[in-house]
Amino acid sequence: MSLDLVPLWAVILSIAVLMYVLLDGFDLGVGILFLLRKNQDDRNLMVASVAPIWDFNETWLILGGGGLLAVFPLAFAVIMPAVYFPILVMLLGLLFRGVAFEFRDVPDARRYIWDRAFAYGSLFATFAQGVVLGNFIEGFKVTGRAFSGSSWDWFAPFPLLTGVGLVVGYSLLGATWLYMKTQGELQEWARNKSYWALWGILAFIVMVSVWTPLAQARIAARWFSQPNIFYFSPVPLLTAVIAWLLWDSLRKGREVLPFLSAMALFFLSFIGLIISLWPYVAPPSITLWDAATAPMSQQFLIVGTMFLLPVILLYVFWSYWVFRGKVRADTGYHQL
């Protein structure tokens, strides 16, 4: 009997997606907040807080996208035509951000151009990711084993709502990150923006939580049928507790706990998404097993992944340890 590696691959890709959202989410959030902070010295500090780590945060995006193509090719073939334009916008936004990181500190550079590239690249990349998420929750039109919808199916109320919601959510991650990493007036400004972003993301969580079961019977049945309602009730309860903890820690002036609490909110939202959609990788018709490649291919790919994944995790933890502490005006990525 051959070992069923599909659940293991589902866990690996879930980790890749979650790590990308948590880690690249806060530096995209810093870019979004760029639009609200005009002081150039503060902007330099905001960039310096994420400059040493932003590039390897996106390693998780490559792992998730590459893993989806290699291990679940049918899902990749269905999902990509449906969200082609949001994916294109996301990649262009990330491209502009990457260029801006390097060119804004070049001598005699027109910094205002690269500041806008950094801010709007972050905004559009985040919004596009939210649209992809909304389209994934709504599901894909499939006939046989092929996508049968339109490349404009994403342009609908629910995906646009989740796009705006993710902008607010990443802003919360970015604001709590800046509150943890900065000092003085910029830190107080970040705390104020954290309050606003917290209330905003809670509003979007409520809207999505009400919309999805009303619009989709399969999700309503998953959450509210017996005995599932008892098994899954800790998720919304913990969400409320973590939200209160985030607000309370901001009020008491704690610096690290708000950021960890914001990440916990995203983690619980991710758990809720898995509960709603399992075992579908291209809902509502294609399961993980339907989309999986041949067992021999899964076995071949898992060998390299089992070596690669620990190395990535160790590098991430080591890098964050090296660049721990407050960011200062006299130090930064381009001064190292």
Side-chain angles (χ1 to χ4, degrees):
M1 294 179 62
S2 61
L3 180 65
D4 184 6
L5 294 177
V6 170
L8 177 59
W9 274 112
V11 170
I12 292 172
L13 295 187
S14 296
I15 291 173
V17 172
L18 178 62
M19 293 294 287
Y20 174 77
V21 169
L22 293 179
L23 300 184
D24 207 39
F26 73 77
D27 69 59
L28 284 166
V30 169
I32 294 168
L33 294 172
F34 229 59
L35 295 167
L36 306 177
R37 192 69 177 176
K38 303 301 182 181
N39 182 281
Q40 194 59 53
D41 291 335
D42 288 344
R43 284 187 162 189
N44 291 341
L45 283 174
M46 293 167 74
V47 171
S49 73
V50 297
I53 52 179
W54 73 272
D55 46 359
F56 66 76
N57 287 343
E58 294 178 358
T59 303
W60 299 104
L61 180 64
I62 298 171
L63 177 61
L68 183 67
L69 172 61
V71 183
F72 301 105
L74 177 59
F76 189 89
V78 169
I79 294 171
M80 288 306 296
V83 294
Y84 176 83
F85 290 113
I87 291 292
L88 178 62
V89 170
M90 181 191 74
L91 294 177
L92 288 174
L94 295 177
L95 174 65
F96 276 104
R97 288 181 75 250
V99 173
F101 268 113
E102 301 300 330
F103 278 78
R104 72 182 303 275
D105 285 321
V106 171
D108 300 321
R110 296 179 180 179
R111 182 167 289 187
Y112 69 93
I113 294 177
W114 303 115
D115 282 351
R116 291 177 181 174
F118 177 62
Y120 286 106
S122 302
L123 176 64
F124 288 127
T126 300
F127 179 75
Q129 289 177 18
V131 169
V132 171
L133 172 63
N135 210 60
F136 191 84
I137 295 172
E138 281 208 318
F140 306 94
K141 298 176 182 176
V142 176
T143 301
R145 293 171 60 87
F147 176 65
S148 58
S150 165
S151 293
W152 292 98
D153 286 353
W154 60 269
F155 194 75
F158 184 74
L160 297 178
L161 173 70
T162 54
V164 176
L166 196 62
V167 169
V168 176
Y170 280 4
S171 297
L172 175 63
L173 288 175
T176 52
W177 169 262
L178 290 174
Y179 180 60
M180 180 177 66
K181 295 290 287 185
T182 61
Q183 304 175 76
E185 183 185 352
L186 179 58
Q187 184 186 44
E188 189 59 32
W189 177 85
R191 179 163 74 165
N192 180 264
K193 292 297 177 283
S194 297
Y195 281 121
W196 285 101
L198 172 60
W199 294 118
I201 193 58
L202 289 177
F204 278 103
I205 288 175
V206 171
M207 283 189 285
V208 170
S209 299
V210 172
W211 189 320
T212 49
L214 289 177
Q216 302 191 43
R218 59 185 172 87
I219 294 180
R222 177 64 57 86
W223 280 93
F224 300 113
S225 62
Q226 298 283 359
N228 288 2
I229 190 171
F230 300 107
Y231 296 152
F232 300 147
S233 59
V235 175
L237 293 176
L238 283 173
T239 300
V241 171
I242 294 298
W244 176 85
L245 183 62
L246 201 164
W247 176 84
D248 186 62
S249 60
L250 287 170
R251 182 178 62 87
K252 292 180 178 178
R254 297 178 180 177
E255 296 183 347
V256 178
L257 190 55
F259 180 64
L260 297 179
S261 299
M263 298 184 83
L265 278 180
F266 270 81
F267 174 74
L268 289 169
S269 299
F270 188 74
I271 293 298
L273 180 66
I274 292 176
I275 291 172
S276 298
L277 300 180
W278 178 268
Y280 297 99
V281 67
S285 57
I286 298 179
T287 68
L288 290 159
W289 287 268
D290 294 332
T293 189
M296 185 62 70
S297 298
Q298 297 177 44
Q299 295 169 20
F300 174 78
L301 292 167
I302 201 68
V303 175
T305 303
M306 288 296 99
F307 283 100
L308 179 64
L309 193 57
V311 172
I312 295 175
L313 287 169
L314 286 173
Y315 180 69
V316 166
F317 290 126
W318 177 78
S319 299
Y320 277 89
W321 174 256
V322 168
F323 294 104
R324 68 192 183 278
K326 298 287 186 179
V327 64
R328 304 192 309 272
D330 58 334
T331 62
Y333 176 68
H334 292 93
Q335 282 76 43
L336 295 177

